[in-house]
Amino acid sequence: MKWVRLTISTKSEAVEAISYALTNIGIPTIEIDDPNDIALTMEKKNKTDWDYIDEELLKNKDTDEVHIKAYLPEDTPYEEKIIQIQNSLNHIKQFLDIGKGTVKTDILHEEEWANSWKKYYKPLKIGKNILIKPSWEEYTPRDDDEVIIEMDPGMAFGTGTHETTSMCLELIEKYIAKGDVVFDIGCGSGILGIASAKLGASSVIGVDLDANAVKVAKNNVNSNNVQHIMKLYEGNLLDVIDQKADIVVANIIADVIIELSQSVLEFLKTNGLFIASGIIRERLQDVKEAMDKNGLDIIDLYEKGSWCALAARMKE
């Protein structure tokens, strides 16, 4: 089988918005090459923590150009997808600097696509005890408290490597209590809900508008053996959930978070927590104002790179 690879050239600050747009037009299979992520990770880790570093990534670590690669079967009418992608890029560039914003196509054989990124995707530690590992990597837990989440790249957006996802994971780990009920809005790969389940949640519900994302998330839930805790639904939070949670988490984009702030209290128990990420720094003030207007007090704020994540509770 052959695959069509669509390579979008952009900048780090636009990665989250473009990735979200791709899932909305039915392209959940993506790969993100961001040299800035490599440089940032190298600054935080000892050289001995790396099993392998792709030399090509190191050569490009000082550039601000990011490549988002989307993969489609060759028999897909990908010309239509290119038009949809370009329309999305035209919309996003009204709010963010998308850099070149070009879309290039080439053809790959199945084996080349399946193995090209494995050489530099390794286990990643996040927060105090969370470790994300690909399925093909052997890993022995270093202590009993370590929470191992098996997550492969290239399937759906959200493998833990992006700042927005890692900040969400850190906030969940910080605030979750044993027995909590968690809602994951726009669940993507399901990583946030899976983490919640492994950190002690008694019930997790993930919802996403994209059917492909829900399918991938279900596979990830099964791979991590949390299917007895986490359930997944296609649709909108307002349409598929009629109960309340201790934590509602949303790693989306600022505009959606602003909209969610108007209704999220309906889905939170007393003293419940709303964790929101995917907020570009330039939109943080807009999100803060929306939270305040809609009865939410921000109790915690994380910032990494160009991104922000926050935790908020109902005002007393």
Side-chain angles (χ1 to χ4, degrees), residues 300-316:
D300 212 342
L301 174 65
Y302 283 12
E303 297 183 40
K304 287 185 181 179
S306 302
W307 300 97
C308 303
L310 54 81
R313 294 192 193 279
M314 182 190 304
K315 288 184 178 180
E316 294 183 357

Side-chain angles (χ1 to χ4, degrees), residues 232-250:
L232 292 138
Y233 301 94
E234 178 187 348
N236 185 287
L237 173 71
L238 297 169
D239 301 327
V240 300
I241 297 178
D242 59 0
Q243 52 186 295
K244 292 181 182 288
D246 299 283
I247 296 175
V248 172
V249 58

Side-chain angles (χ1 to χ4, degrees), residues 23 28-30 151-159 188-190 212-213 216-217 220:
T23 62
T29 308
I30 64 171
M151 191 71 52
D152 290 346
M155 296 171 66
F157 188 68
T159 58
S189 67
N212 289 320
V216 168
N220 287 333

Side-chain angles (χ1 to χ4, degrees), residues 246-314:
D246 299 283
I247 296 175
V248 172
V249 58
N251 181 19
I252 312 182
I253 56 175
D255 285 333
V256 178
I257 292 167
I258 288 170
E259 184 178 346
L260 270 174
S261 70
Q262 300 173 25
S263 57
V264 71
L265 289 179
E266 300 173 28
F267 299 92
L268 281 173
K269 297 180 182 178
T270 302
N271 208 37
L273 192 70
F274 180 33
I275 295 174
S277 188
I279 306 163
I280 195 74
R281 193 185 301 275
E282 288 77 7
R283 300 298 309 281
L284 177 60
Q285 188 57 38
D286 295 338
V287 174
K288 285 182 173 180
E289 291 174 1
M291 295 268 186
D292 181 64
K293 178 181 177 181
N294 290 295
L296 289 158
D297 266 335
I298 296 172
I299 63 169
D300 212 342
L301 174 65
Y302 283 12
E303 297 183 40
K304 287 185 181 179
S306 302
W307 300 97
C308 303
L310 54 81
R313 294 192 193 279
M314 182 190 304

